[in-house]
Amino acid sequence: MPNKTHRMNHIFREDRKTFVLAIDHGNAFNVLPAMKHPGKIISEVARAGVDAFLATVGLADKFADSFHGRGIILRLDGACSFLGSKDKPLQTVVGIEDAVRLGADAVISMGFPGSKWEDQILENLSRNILHCNKWGIPLLAEMLPRGFEGGEDSRTPENITFACRQGAELGADMIKTEYTGSPESFKELCESVYVPVLILGGSKKVPEEQLLGEVKDALEAGGGGIAMGRNIWNHEDPARYAGAIAKIIHEGASVGAALKELNKKF
């Protein structure tokens, strides 16, 4: 099996932490007007401290120069949109060979244990992982209990921990998931999952101090970094927000220091 280390080193810095900006939402959701000019945002946040991007085929192909050499994690899932019916599962629509051709350093694929579509989605995830192993491409598994179907137990710390461990057992190299809500429960998760775990931001707009605090707590509990999107590129100043977050991730800055960086006058 080809070695994945070089590609992983293009995503994680020497401190073994990473700041991944998710910009793959246009694959299924409306990103306008905030992401009307993606090349500009990509370029600015890349220079501000983002280490890698979750991207679509279109963005990776059409805005290659805007990434400034940062890592690219290509989205494999698709075949649905917010305009369509909710009675079908995500499908794998991008092949690993295509990811290699586009210069991706890694790929991302969904895993929804407990979903009504879990058999198909987890089978797709497993096949993608095994195919990635042949090419030496790391895979980031987005592990969410019951997917987006809801349910009282869909985001309990215990079920999030199980989902992440299942992703590791299937062979994923990294995990993306929701923050469990407390440093204690997230520490238990990280100790139970033997690959790096990145927290996502979600669709709900979160106040700056709350988001920075969750990033800080997750890192101190053993997290490998973040993979967030809308809360950052929807911000009035995405580059400055990214710079403040990068200081927490890679410089160990306090939440107060990061807020000061975000709000300082030039």
Side-chain angles (χ1 to χ4, degrees):
M1 182 176 68
N3 195 303
K4 301 176 183 177
T5 301
H6 178 72
R7 289 187 170 98
M8 289 287 281
N9 287 342
H10 207 198
I11 297 168
F12 289 84
R13 294 195 197 178
E14 291 183 0
D15 59 9
R16 308 317 301 160
K17 305 295 182 184
T18 186
F19 177 4
V20 179
L21 185 73
I23 55 172
D24 57 332
H25 305 79
N27 193 40
F29 304 105
N30 187 4
V31 297
L32 299 174
M35 194 61 81
K36 186 175 181 180
H37 303 291
K40 180 177 183 292
I41 292 178
I42 293 168
S43 179
E44 289 178 351
V45 297
R47 295 183 186 279
V50 167
D51 301 309
F53 292 84
L54 295 183
T56 61
V57 169
L59 293 176
D61 185 42
K62 303 301 189 297
F63 297 97
D65 289 339
S66 299
F67 292 96
H68 299 299
R70 302 301 188 267
I72 294 177
I73 305 172
L74 197 70
R75 169 66 69 183
L76 301 182
D77 310 300
C80 64
S81 81
F82 75 103
L83 295 175
S85 66
K86 305 298 188 292
D87 60 350
K88 60 182 179 180
L90 284 168
Q91 300 178 40
T92 297
V93 296
V94 179
I96 307 305
E97 294 91 340
D98 297 306
V100 173
R101 177 182 58 80
L102 287 165
D105 298 284
V107 297
I108 180 169
S109 186
M110 292 288 198
F112 294 165
S115 161
K116 63 183 177 181
W117 307 110
E118 74 164 9
D119 56 339
Q120 296 179 49
I121 293 174
L122 293 175
E123 180 182 2
N124 288 340
L125 173 61
S126 183
R127 289 184 183 278
N128 287 334
I129 289 170
L130 294 174
H131 202 185
C132 280
N133 287 343
K134 295 178 181 179
W135 287 89
I137 300 291
L139 185 139
L140 172 61
E142 186 162 352
M143 302 303 298
L144 300 172
R146 305 196 189 285
F148 301 107
E149 295 167 17
E152 291 183 1
D153 65 347
S154 65
R155 294 297 185 268
T156 63
E158 295 79 12
N159 283 350
I160 294 174
T161 299
F162 161 71
C164 293
R165 178 59 183 251
Q166 184 182 44
E169 295 291 342
L170 289 174
D173 303 286
M174 304 163 277
I175 302 293
K176 175 188 176 190
T177 196
E178 284 197 18
Y179 182 57
T180 53
S182 72
E184 294 77 18
S185 60
F186 195 68
K187 184 175 187 291
E188 177 66 22
L189 184 155
C190 292
E191 290 178 346
S192 303
V193 179
Y194 46 82
V195 297
V197 179
L198 315 181
I199 63 167
L200 55 79
S203 59
K204 186 177 180 181
K205 187 174 182 180
V206 177
E208 295 163 355
E209 186 171 4
Q210 179 183 337
L211 186 142
L212 295 172
E214 288 185 356
V215 172
K216 184 72 172 178
D217 288 346
L219 291 167
E220 291 183 345
I226 70 170
M228 296 184 177
R230 283 169 281 192
N231 270 288
I232 300 171
W233 51 257
N234 261 321
H235 192 271
E236 60 183 13
D237 192 338
R240 187 177 291 191
Y241 203 9
I245 294 170
K247 284 188 174 294
I248 289 180
I249 295 174
H250 294 300
E251 298 180 24
S254 67
V255 172
L259 282 171
K260 185 175 180 181
E261 177 71 19
L262 177 60
N263 296 315
K264 73 180 181 181
K265 304 295 184 181
F266 289 98

